[in-house]
Every structure is written in structure tokens, then in C-alpha cells.
Amino acid sequence: MNCKLLFIAMANGILSMNQNYQQMSFSELRAYVVENREDIEALRFLMSKRDPNYPKYPMPLTEADMQAQMEIIRRKINGEL
């Protein structure tokens, strides 16, 4: 983001340099990011706090991969995983 866009974003309250993400719990920070999707710094901070042991799923490249990923999501929603 160039300086002019950064200034405009800060002036419009889109980016908040005063927000202290370190003092928020993970749940509070996640809720904040959901409500303030344009706050890129909050999103970056949230992503830096991900659990490194959480399973990683590859990007689906084929229709079969997409179906397999949808099955994983369905199972997670139903509490099977």
C-alpha cells in the first residue's frame, strides 16, 4: 500500500494503528477481524497466531480434490473430525 492510500485508509478509520491486538484473546481477535475485514494489520496478526500443528489441506486442483475437500468440510461441520 503506498503512502497516499495508507493515509486515506487511516483517515477513514480503515486501518487502526492504535488497536492493540496483542492484548486480545484469539477469540476476540477473530471476532474483531470478522467485523473489520478491511483491517489488514489485524488479519496479518491473526494469521501469525495460527496453530502450527493444525492440519493443512492442499489447494484442490481437480474436481476429485474439490469433492474430497468438501467432504472434509462436511465432516468438520457435523463434528466427525
Side-chain angles (χ1 to χ4, degrees):
M1 181 179 291
N2 68 36
C3 290
K4 185 175 181 180
L5 289 177
L6 180 61
F7 178 76
I8 291 169
M10 289 175 62
N12 291 325
I14 294 173
L15 293 177
S16 174
M17 294 290 224
N18 297 328
Q19 191 69 295
N20 192 347
Y21 308 121
Q22 292 179 343
Q23 291 182 349
M24 292 182 180
S25 69
F26 184 83
S27 297
E28 290 171 332
L29 182 58
R30 192 174 85 167
Y32 174 82
V33 168
V34 168
E35 291 295 318
N36 299 279
R37 293 176 189 263
E38 65 280 345
D39 191 338
I40 302 302
E41 291 303 315
L43 179 59
R44 286 185 181 144
F45 191 80
L46 179 65
M47 297 310 294
S48 74
K49 298 301 175 191
R50 293 184 308 181
D51 183 353
N53 298 319
Y54 194 78
K56 294 172 181 60
Y57 301 102
M59 178 71 146
L61 301 175
T62 66
E63 185 63 31
D65 291 345
M66 179 66 79
Q67 292 300 322
Q69 191 130 28
M70 293 302 290
E71 178 63 17
I72 291 169
I73 292 169
R74 184 195 65 75
R75 291 177 63 200
K76 285 186 78 75
I77 289 172
N78 291 333
E80 298 170 16
L81 288 179

